[in-house]
């Protein structure tokens, strides 16, 4: 008997489109029914979350990278009964020390600045995504991030199976930033992706697919208890 597929809403990072999740859409088709949430129209996280919820299945799993992760948290705040599980990549628990101007945020979000170690194989597609998304959308997304509200209420509302993952070379969300998020969510699994920057679904597509498969099917290791990251989370 085939395992039933799970509705899976995938939310991209700022300046990215569905190409960010292309491998996962293909490779998870046997366990999930993936669809992309639209983060291109609105200029607040609340409006983005409301738009995704309006077009999403009644109950779903949600995975987001950076901007997408913040929208996923806002979706849980707005409609906790509709989210079955959540995966957050490159997502921080705090707004502290973030860039304060659109120019600074744009500089960090540009692929070569976000991760100077990106190879041409990855940086080319990343630049192509940014060109397809366009400057107007990029500016709206910057405004949404710069004006994002306090995340405490959204984080405290998470009571579903949660994966928090981050690249060890991510300069936008550092390992300790992501750990601080995982530490606040009961039973969250925490994972560090080696030799990886901010756009892990493209940079480490196979490893991200494996993590999401385990998260979707409940076949992965148990959640890490709050405290210092353990060696089996690949942080050593």
């Amino acid at each position: 008997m085939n395992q039933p597929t799970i509705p899976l809403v995938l939310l991209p990072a700022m300046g990215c489109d569905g190409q960010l999740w292309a491998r996962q859409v293909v490779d998870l088709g046997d366990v999930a029914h993936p669809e992309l949430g639209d983060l291109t129209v609105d200029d607040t996280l609340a409006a983005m979350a409301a738009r995704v919820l309006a077009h999403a299945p009644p109950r779903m799993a949600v995975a987001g990278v950076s901007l997408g992760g913040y929208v996923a948290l806002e979706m849980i705040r707005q409609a906790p009964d509709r989210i079955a599980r959540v995966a957050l990549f490159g997502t921080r628990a705090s707004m502290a020390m973030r860039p304060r101007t659109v120019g600074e945020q744009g500089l960090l979000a540009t692929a070569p600045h976000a991760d100077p170690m990106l190879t041409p194989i990855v940086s080319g597609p990343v630049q192509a995504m940014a060109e397809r998304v366009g400057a107007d959308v990029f500016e709206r997304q910057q405004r949404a991030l710069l004006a994002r509200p306090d995340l405490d209420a959204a984080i405290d509302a998470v009571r579903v199976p949660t994966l928090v993952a981050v690249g060890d070379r991510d300069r936008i969300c550092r390992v300790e930033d992501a750990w601080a998020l995982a530490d606040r969510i009961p039973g969250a699994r925490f994972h560090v992706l080696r030799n990886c920057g901010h756009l892990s679904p493209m940079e480490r597509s196979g490893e991200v697919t494996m993590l999401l498969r385990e998260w979707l099917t409940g076949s992965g290791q148990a959640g890490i208890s709050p405290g210092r990251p353990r060696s089996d989370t690949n942080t050593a």
Side-chain angles (χ1 to χ4, degrees):
M1 181 176 178
N2 292 332
Q3 183 174 4
T5 58
I6 303 168
L8 172 61
V9 175
L10 299 169
L11 304 175
M14 183 169 62
C16 297
D17 58 19
Q19 186 64 32
L20 178 65
W21 292 106
R23 289 306 314 167
Q24 289 74 41
V25 169
V26 172
D27 295 341
L28 293 171
D30 60 324
V31 295
H33 180 71
E35 59 183 74
L36 191 71
D38 185 1
L39 308 185
T40 66
V41 179
D42 306 290
D43 61 3
T44 68
L45 296 185
M48 290 177 181
R51 183 178 299 276
V52 175
L53 286 166
H55 295 88
R59 189 162 169 81
M60 74 212 86
V62 183
V65 179
S66 194
L67 170 65
Y70 301 119
V71 174
L73 287 171
E74 175 63 16
M75 289 171 66
I76 293 176
R77 191 191 69 78
Q78 291 185 18
D81 294 339
R82 293 184 58 188
I83 312 302
R85 54 189 65 231
V86 63
L88 306 166
F89 293 84
T91 304
R92 303 175 59 186
S94 170
M95 297 180 293
M97 297 176 62
R98 76 179 190 272
R100 295 294 179 178
T101 69
V102 168
E104 289 170 330
Q105 182 75 8
L107 193 66
L108 265 181
T110 304
H113 295 279
D115 183 6
M117 302 299 292
L118 282 176
T119 67
I121 294 176
V122 175
S123 61
V126 170
Q127 185 62 40
M129 281 195 297
E131 292 173 359
R132 288 194 299 270
V133 169
D136 290 344
V137 170
F138 193 66
E139 185 176 345
R140 279 197 294 274
Q141 293 176 337
Q142 288 175 359
R143 288 199 298 268
L145 278 177
L146 289 169
R148 65 183 184 264
D150 190 286
L151 299 171
D152 287 346
I155 295 170
D156 291 343
V158 180
R159 291 293 184 270
V160 295
T162 301
L163 168 67
V164 177
V166 65
D168 63 354
R169 293 178 177 174
D170 193 333
R171 295 178 62 196
I172 296 174
C173 176
R174 298 170 300 176
V175 171
E176 53 266 40
D177 295 328
W179 172 252
L181 176 61
D183 192 42
R184 292 184 54 183
I185 299 173
R189 179 182 177 185
F190 180 70
H191 185 87
V192 177
L193 299 117
R194 290 291 191 182
N195 300 313
C196 181
H198 195 54
L199 302 180
S200 55
M202 289 184 71
E203 296 178 58
R204 291 291 177 267
S205 58
E207 188 173 359
V208 168
T209 296
M210 177 197 71
L211 289 170
L212 290 178
R213 180 178 294 275
E214 294 175 348
W215 164 75
L216 285 164
T217 62
S219 61
Q221 69 183 58
I224 307 301
S225 299
R228 264 183 84 251
R230 299 193 323 223
S231 60
D232 58 0
T233 63
N234 293 334
T235 62

